[in-house]
């Protein structure tokens, strides 16, 4: 039925980096559509507080973990298994950025960004693969949603070398993971956000009007824009989307003419 196309009733989701920004927007959208949502973040107090705030929309559980290492991903998966026997939806949203001039760009910043944005995304999915296979079927596929960025599609003028490279890697990795996991009835897709107000995108957060003027849609993204895209991919509405990454950016990546935005 069309009225149930976007419902997430009875589904269980894990949103990494879910205590703030885009992850929190997605978690709220899932909750409002009926899902039970687990959120994780590195800082336990912030994760716990966010889960408490989100609980007004549905069942939200805090599972704080540091996903910057494979061991951290394993620990989160083990923790989740004490709560659930199955997982329907995984949103790989945890991420980092680092900016520095070309001649001064540090290896530490490169490794931190690449490890969390690409390596941990892959291994987090690997560690919950069994839980997702247990829930998935051809009629009700599991969903992995990788959060990339339009910076992986179109360069921006900032010297965030590892971030831009990592997000391009996420988009291609999404395709490769999709080719494998569809065999287990798990659909892998991605979202490439543009300007949304967050701690990572302080320009959009602190200069909304100025940033909005540079976007074809004439505004930055709203919480509902991100939640809507994620709910689409996570729900039955997105069951036939496999391997694609959806740009949610007000037209920056594909319709803007001229200089890279920034």
């Amino acid at each position: 039925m069309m009225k149930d196309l976007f419902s997430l009733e009875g589904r269980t989701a894990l949103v990494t980096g879910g205590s703030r920004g885009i992850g929190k927007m997605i978690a709220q959208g899932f909750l409002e559509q009926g899902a039970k949502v687990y959120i994780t973040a590195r800082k336990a107090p912030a994760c716990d507080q966010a889960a408490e705030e989100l609980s007004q929309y549905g069942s939200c559980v805090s599972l704080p973990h540091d996903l910057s290492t494979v061991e951290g991903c394993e620990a989160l998966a083990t923790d989740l298994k004490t709560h659930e026997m199955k997982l329907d939806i995984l949103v790989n949203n945890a991420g980092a950025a680092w900016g520095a001039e070309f001649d001064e760009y540090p290896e530490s910043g490169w490794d931190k960004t690449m490890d969390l944005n690409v390596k941990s995304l892959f291994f987090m999915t690997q560690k919950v693969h069994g839980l997702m296979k247990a829930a998935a079927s051809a009629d009700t596929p599991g969903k992995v949603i990788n959060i990339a960025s339009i910076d992986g599609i179109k360069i921006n003028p900032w010297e965030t070398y590892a971030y831009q490279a990592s997000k391009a890697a996420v988009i291609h990795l999404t395709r490769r993971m999709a080719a494998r996991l569809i065999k287990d009835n798990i659909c892998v897709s991605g979202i490439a956000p543009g300007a949304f107000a967050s701690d990572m995108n302080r320009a959009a957060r602190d200069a909304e009007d100025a940033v909005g003027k540079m976007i074809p849609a004439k505004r930055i993204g709203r919480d509902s824009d991100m939640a809507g895209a994620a709910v689409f991919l996570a729900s039955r509405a997105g069951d036939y989307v496999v391997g694609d990454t959806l740009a949610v950016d007000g037209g920056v990546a594909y319709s803007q003419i001229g200089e890279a935005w920034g």
Side-chain angles (χ1 to χ4, degrees):
M1 298 288 291
M2 284 296 294
K3 67 183 181 66
D4 298 322
L5 199 58
F6 296 93
S7 172
L8 296 176
E9 289 288 343
R11 305 284 187 95
T12 301
L14 171 63
V15 181
T16 72
S19 67
R20 61 184 184 175
I22 284 171
K24 193 174 182 182
M25 297 174 199
I26 291 172
Q28 180 176 330
F30 285 178
L31 289 164
E32 291 188 14
Q33 290 302 108
K36 179 179 183 180
V37 178
Y38 290 84
I39 62 170
T40 188
R42 181 171 57 86
K43 297 178 180 179
C47 195
D48 294 343
Q49 181 180 347
E52 183 177 350
E53 293 171 2
L54 289 167
S55 290
Q56 64 183 297
Y57 303 105
S59 178
C60 186
V61 181
S62 170
L63 294 179
H65 284 277
D66 183 352
L67 303 185
S68 63
T69 65
V70 176
E71 291 77 14
C73 295
E74 178 72 51
L76 174 56
T78 299
D79 196 357
L80 182 62
K81 289 172 186 175
T82 67
H83 296 269
E84 302 289 341
M85 297 179 64
K86 298 179 180 181
L87 180 66
D88 300 289
I89 304 159
L90 169 65
V91 179
N92 286 308
N93 170 69
W98 195 289
E101 293 184 7
F102 181 79
D103 291 329
E104 299 174 2
Y105 205 93
E107 182 181 7
S108 59
W110 182 277
D111 289 347
K112 176 183 178 180
T113 303
M114 283 292 188
D115 282 354
L116 186 56
N117 293 5
V118 185
K119 181 179 177 181
S120 292
L121 177 153
F122 176 83
F123 284 102
M124 189 68 250
T125 308
Q126 183 192 71
K127 300 307 178 186
V128 298
H129 185 209
L131 287 175
M132 297 200 72
K133 284 198 296 184
S137 68
D139 289 335
T140 308
K143 301 296 179 69
V144 175
I145 303 171
N146 296 327
I147 305 303
S149 169
I150 61 165
D151 291 353
I153 300 171
K154 178 178 181 178
I155 64 167
N156 70 44
W158 304 311
E159 293 189 272
T160 52
Y161 298 100
Y163 181 78
Q164 296 186 49
S166 73
K167 292 304 184 178
V170 167
I171 292 169
H172 198 76
L173 181 58
T174 294
R175 298 178 187 133
R176 188 60 193 88
M177 291 168 64
R180 168 59 183 86
L181 295 184
I182 194 63
K183 298 175 183 178
D184 298 321
N185 299 311
I186 298 170
C187 300
V188 183
S189 61
I191 296 174
F196 284 80
S198 68
D199 289 347
M200 187 173 290
N201 193 335
R202 294 174 185 172
R205 183 192 67 188
D206 300 337
E208 177 179 342
D209 291 343
V211 173
K213 290 177 181 177
M214 296 184 286
I215 297 171
K218 301 296 187 290
R219 64 173 176 84
I220 67 168
R222 302 182 181 121
D223 290 9
S224 57
D225 296 320
M226 184 51 55
V231 167
F232 161 64
L233 292 173
S235 67
R236 189 163 60 87
D239 282 359
Y240 213 52
V241 179
V242 180
D244 193 38
T245 294
L246 177 65
V248 183
D249 67 346
V252 171
Y254 295 123
S255 68
Q256 182 161 291
I257 298 172
E259 294 294 324
W261 77 289

